[in-house]
């Protein structure tokens, strides 16, 4: 490790990491909501990412779902309490994202390379107080990255952060992009107050490098990680090779043994997010139970059987109070919850007409 690196490590070694996760691209509402639900329930994620306007190197690749994705991000925030971020590359993107109260925007590597685009975005952001993360430019040019940061900071936005995603070079590198760690460390010296986040997904370009790149970033004292996670990475419409499932992502965090920012900042908020997701699951289960009860109701009607069958209900309650006891749940709770559910089932069965 070089001297520079040691200085950064010393400065931040006690800090906890800010964790950003989510798919490379928002593809469908279901895909976005599924992965967001999983990540929210984990309580390990500070910020949900999903690209909706995708800058693609070649035409004909998936270019993102566009503004409809903003609705899905808003839904992620409302339903799971996860703040969201997305990439903007034009002033129009900024205006759209502001309309939907997206929490944080990021400027992609291709855009950071272009001072005209940067200025247009900075002007659109002026005074908005939204947080902005600035990825390094494609080429290993520290001045270009510095210029982009200065333009955005002059726009008087919210928190500005830096994302290191590696650099395109002509020579072949084992990673998708050459890291040149020394550039981001030097840049961080110029802006020591700005959080420095590593994006091991775009840096490595393959999920097999996520662990080694993330550990290196942590060792260097980076403030956070942005990791692409997808419910079904093999079928992802962009960057399939570098995305991982929610379970793989949790395993990665466990391997890295980092404590998330979220845990430090707001433990109650994190636990409440988990409660909300559990409540959602309970509602889904009750809905399923009602569907089965209705099917039973139809059979009872067909066979001319009574809707209420006391002996069956007594058996159910006996089994549940017994199981509840094993789980440390009181008889009163089991009685209340299941009596209410049972009454609803009976009501549904009585209402069956044909
Ligand atoms: C992205 O984060 O989805 C993205 C396009 O990244 P980059 O700008 O680093 O290529
Ligand atoms: Mn991507």
């Amino acid at each position: 490790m070089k001297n520079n690196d040691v200085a950064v490590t010393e400065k931040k070694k006690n800090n906890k990491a800010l964790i950003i996760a989510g798919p490379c691209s928002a593809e469908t509402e279901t895909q976005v909501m599924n992965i967001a639900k999983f990540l929210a329930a984990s309580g390990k994620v500070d910020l949900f990412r999903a690209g909706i306007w995708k800058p693609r190197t070649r035409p004909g690749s998936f270019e993102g779902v566009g503004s409809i994705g903003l609705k899905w991000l808003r839904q992620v925030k409302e339903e799971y309490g996860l703040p969201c971020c997305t990439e903007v590359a034009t002033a129009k993107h900024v205006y759209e994202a502001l309309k939907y109260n997206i929490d944080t925007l990021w400027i992609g590597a291709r855009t950071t390379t272009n001072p005209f685009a940067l200025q247009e975005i900075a002007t659109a952001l002026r005074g908005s107080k939204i947080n902005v993360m600035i990825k390094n430019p494609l080429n290993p040019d520290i001045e270009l990255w510095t210029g982009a940061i200065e333009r955005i900071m002059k726009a008087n936005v919210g928190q500005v952060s830096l994302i290191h995603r590696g650099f395109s070079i002509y020579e072949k590198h084992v990673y998708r992009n050459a890291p040149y760690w020394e550039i981001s460390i030097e840049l961080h010296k110029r802006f020591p107050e700005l959080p420095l986040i590593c994006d091991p997904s775009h840096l490595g370009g393959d999920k097999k490098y996520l662990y080694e790149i993330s550990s290196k970033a942590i060792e260097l004292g980076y403030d956070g990680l942005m990791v692409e996670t997808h419910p079904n990475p093999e079928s992802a419409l962009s960057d399939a090779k570098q995305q991982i499932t929610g379970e793989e992502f949790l395993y990665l965090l466990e391997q890295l043994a980092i404590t998330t920012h979220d845990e430090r900042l707001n433990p109650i908020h994190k636990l409440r997010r988990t409660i909300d997701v559990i409540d959602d699951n309970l509602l889904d289960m009750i809905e399923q139970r009602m569907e089965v009860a209705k099917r039973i109701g139809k059979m009872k009607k067909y066979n001319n059987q009574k809707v209420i069958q006391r002996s069956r209900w007594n058996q159910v309650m006996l089994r549940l109070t017994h199981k509840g006891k094993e789980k440390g749940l009181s008889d009163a709770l089991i009685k209340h919850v299941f009596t209410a559910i049972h009454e609803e089932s009976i009501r549904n069965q009585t209402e069956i007409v044909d």
Side-chain angles (χ1 to χ4, degrees):
M1 208 189 268
K2 287 204 264 28
N3 280 347
N4 284 350
D5 305 2
V6 175
V8 180
T9 311
E10 282 307 308
K11 185 168 119 7
K12 291 195 251 147
K13 76 178 160 209
N14 295 322
N15 278 9
K16 293 170 187 174
L18 181 102
I19 301 295
I20 307 167
C24 176
S25 306
E27 297 168 5
T28 64
E29 183 177 350
T30 314
Q31 171 243 11
V32 167
M33 297 310 284
N34 280 354
I35 188 72
K37 183 175 183 177
F38 182 93
L39 296 173
S42 78
K44 302 274 182 201
V45 175
D46 300 287
L47 194 55
F48 181 74
R49 66 149 281 153
I52 60 176
W53 296 291
K54 300 301 296 177
R56 306 318 302 275
T57 305
R58 305 273 305 273
S61 325
F62 176 62
E63 287 181 340
V65 293
S67 301
I68 178 96
L70 293 168
K71 279 200 186 136
W72 307 338
L73 293 182
R74 188 168 60 189
Q75 213 171 307
V76 165
K77 190 170 168 178
E78 285 171 3
E79 289 197 19
Y80 306 130
L82 257 189
C84 294
C85 64
T86 198
E87 173 169 350
V88 288
T90 66
K92 185 170 172 286
H93 295 164
V94 172
Y95 295 131
E96 287 280 291
L98 290 175
K99 263 197 279 180
Y100 281 80
N101 283 326
I102 300 298
D103 304 273
T104 301
L105 302 176
W106 84 78
I107 294 171
R110 290 155 194 78
T111 312
T112 308
T113 312
N114 179 351
F116 284 128
L118 236 300
Q119 191 49 54
E120 183 190 310
I121 291 170
T123 308
L125 285 168
R126 187 165 295 285
S128 66
K129 291 286 168 227
I130 193 165
N131 303 326
V132 184
M133 305 188 292
I134 307 169
K135 288 200 165 192
N136 66 254
L138 287 179
N139 40 329
D141 180 343
I142 193 167
E143 298 308 330
L144 213 43
W145 199 0
T146 304
I149 297 164
E150 286 168 348
R151 283 179 204 276
I152 296 299
M153 288 186 71
K154 275 193 179 166
N156 191 24
V157 293
Q159 175 70 54
V160 174
S161 314
L162 316 171
I163 302 182
H164 176 208
R165 50 78 80 198
F167 303 88
S168 285
I169 50 168
Y170 181 68
E171 301 80 43
K172 247 193 139 17
H173 193 281
V174 24
Y175 296 158
R176 178 177 174 185
N177 292 295
Y180 294 138
W181 296 98
E182 63 281 9
I183 297 185
S184 60
I185 287 162
E186 173 55 31
L187 183 93
H188 200 239
K189 277 200 192 153
R190 295 188 184 181
F191 299 97
E193 74 288 4
L194 304 186
L196 176 61
I197 292 157
C198 178
D199 171 350
S201 307
H202 290 93
L203 208 162
D206 189 314
K207 64 179 182 179
K208 69 179 178 213
Y209 299 127
L210 286 174
Y211 175 75
E212 66 182 53
I213 299 172
S214 307
S215 330
K216 171 83 177 171
I218 289 163
E219 187 189 310
L220 292 176
Y222 277 50
D223 298 286
L225 296 173
M226 180 194 251
V227 181
E228 286 188 337
T229 46
H230 190 287
N232 187 5
E234 302 87 68
S235 62
L237 298 180
S238 57
D239 289 347
K241 222 171 138 191
Q242 70 195 32
Q243 302 206 62
I244 51 174
T245 61
E247 287 85 358
E248 288 169 328
F249 168 72
L250 293 187
Y251 182 67
L252 173 72
L253 290 187
E254 211 178 292
Q255 295 298 299
L256 293 167
I258 46 178
T259 323
T260 63
H261 206 250
D262 193 33
E263 281 158 349
R264 178 185 53 156
L265 283 185
N266 204 338
I268 291 187
H269 179 65
K270 182 197 125 196
L271 290 173
R272 285 189 174 146
R273 241 192 241 160
T274 308
I275 289 272
D276 287 346
V277 174
I278 294 172
D279 286 348
D280 276 7
N281 286 336
L282 282 174
L283 281 181
D284 289 346
M285 302 296 287
I286 295 173
E287 183 191 18
Q288 280 174 33
R289 196 188 188 286
M290 289 307 152
E291 287 311 314
V292 176
K294 280 182 203 160
R295 282 170 55 196
I296 294 179
K298 282 194 183 143
M299 289 178 191
K300 284 180 182 165
K301 196 171 173 82
Y302 184 76
N303 296 328
N304 266 330
Q305 286 173 320
K306 282 192 295 186
V307 167
I308 301 179
Q309 296 181 357
R310 268 292 140 214
S311 60
R312 162 70 184 153
W313 176 238
N314 291 340
Q315 269 171 17
V316 170
M317 277 311 272
L318 204 65
R319 194 179 75 83
L320 291 173
T321 34
H322 182 71
K323 275 205 115 170
K325 220 171 245 122
E326 284 172 8
K327 293 178 188 296
L329 303 171
S330 71
D331 284 1
L333 173 84
I334 301 289
K335 195 164 166 237
H336 266 94
V337 170
F338 285 95
T339 305
I341 292 177
H342 184 239
E343 279 169 5
E344 182 78 1
S345 294
I346 297 297
R347 198 184 53 72
N348 277 321
Q349 292 188 346
T350 328
E351 279 173 6
I352 289 169
V353 274
D354 47 85

